[in-house]
Structures are given as structure tokens and as C-alpha cells.
Amino acid sequence: MSDNNPQILIEIAAKAKEKAYAPYSEFKVGASLLTTGGNIYSGCNIENASYGLSVCAERVALFKALSEGEREFLAIAIVGDNKEFCYPCGACRQVLAEFSPELEIITGQPEGKIKKHKLSELLPENFRLK
Ligand code: THU
């Protein structure tokens, strides 16, 4: 990835965050996922009155991409609802690792600092059947 792309992905994630449905936590999250082919899929968190059915922004973005036939990813950007860096939850890390264990995780805000990590750093030894 070029140096400019993380910023672009963060901006797309911030835009996706505006669509979040988070009336219970009131914590909106946006994510944007870059495929190896250069396509970008975005997602926001979608909550439910039955709280456990809520889905994180990262998995919404990933499932949108997967359902379009995508399988290989380079990076995901995540924008949370406050100035803190928003990192993917454990469940999302595992689901992302199924496809791209070396995925680049980018977190930050459009006007702020950005942090980058490899998914394998945030989830070492992810569960695999083989
Ligand atoms: N959430 C995300 O969408 N992504 C994260 O990385 C962390 C948490 C959502 C789940 C829930 O809708 C809200 O943020 C508060 O936990």
C-alpha cells in the first residue's frame, strides 16, 4: 500500500460510520476493507434490541465483500466514535484471520494520528482446523 492509502481508507470508514445503527450503545463504528484486487467495501455496526445479535462494523464490511465473491484482503481501516484508537474485537479478529492472517489493521480518525498493525500481531496463533 502507498502511504496515502491508509488515509483514504480511514476517510471511507468515517463516512460508513455515519450509517451506523447503534441506538443502544450509542457508539458508532465504521470500517473499510481493501481487497488485493483494489476494491473497497465499507460497513458500520448494526445493533439489535436483542443485544447479542448486534454485528460489528468490521464483520459487516467483510461479509459484504465475501458475499460479492471476494476472498483476499490487504487492509481494513476502523474509525470509532471517540478520539481513542478503535481496535477490532476478538470475534472480528478471528473472522478476519480466516481469510487474511497478515491483514493490515489501520485505526484512527480522519484528522488525527493513524496506527497500523498486522492482524497476526493482534491475534497470534488464531484458531485453524488444519
Ligand atoms: N463495535 C464495532 O463495530 N467494532 C469494534 O471494533 C468494536 C465494537 C461495535 C459493537 C457495538 O455495536 C458497539 O461498537 C459498542 O460495543
Side-chain angles (χ1 to χ4, degrees):
M1 276 179 84
S2 81
D3 276 345
N4 282 338
N5 283 345
Q7 195 61 51
I8 291 166
L9 282 179
I10 285 281
E11 277 161 25
I12 294 169
K15 194 84 193 145
K17 191 183 82 171
E18 292 171 13
K19 302 256 169 54
Y21 176 73
Y24 305 105
S25 72
E26 294 185 350
F27 188 88
K28 295 184 173 186
V29 184
S32 68
L33 182 65
L34 176 67
T35 71
T36 51
N39 294 327
I40 296 173
Y41 295 84
S42 62
C44 57
N45 54 331
I46 301 171
E47 298 184 346
N48 192 270
S50 177
Y51 294 173
L53 301 181
S54 301
V55 186
C56 294
E58 295 90 326
R59 269 176 289 158
V60 171
L62 177 65
F63 292 160
K64 280 171 69 178
L66 293 170
S67 67
E68 293 300 319
E70 305 281 6
R71 292 292 184 269
E72 288 176 25
F73 307 100
L74 286 177
I76 188 166
I78 303 147
V79 174
D81 220 6
N82 53 29
K83 296 221 157 55
E84 304 298 317
F85 293 102
C86 185
Y87 285 96
C89 74
C92 287
R93 292 178 198 199
Q94 175 66 28
V95 176
L96 289 165
E98 175 86 11
F99 299 93
S100 303
E102 296 305 318
L103 189 71
E104 185 166 58
I105 310 287
I106 301 160
T107 178
Q109 293 288 338
E111 306 303 331
K113 273 194 176 169
I114 287 175
K115 283 192 180 177
K116 292 194 227 169
H117 302 267
K118 285 274 179 214
L119 178 55
S120 56
E121 198 190 308
L122 301 183
L123 184 70
E125 307 292 356
N126 67 288
F127 177 70
R128 298 205 158 258
L129 279 176
K130 293 177 208 157

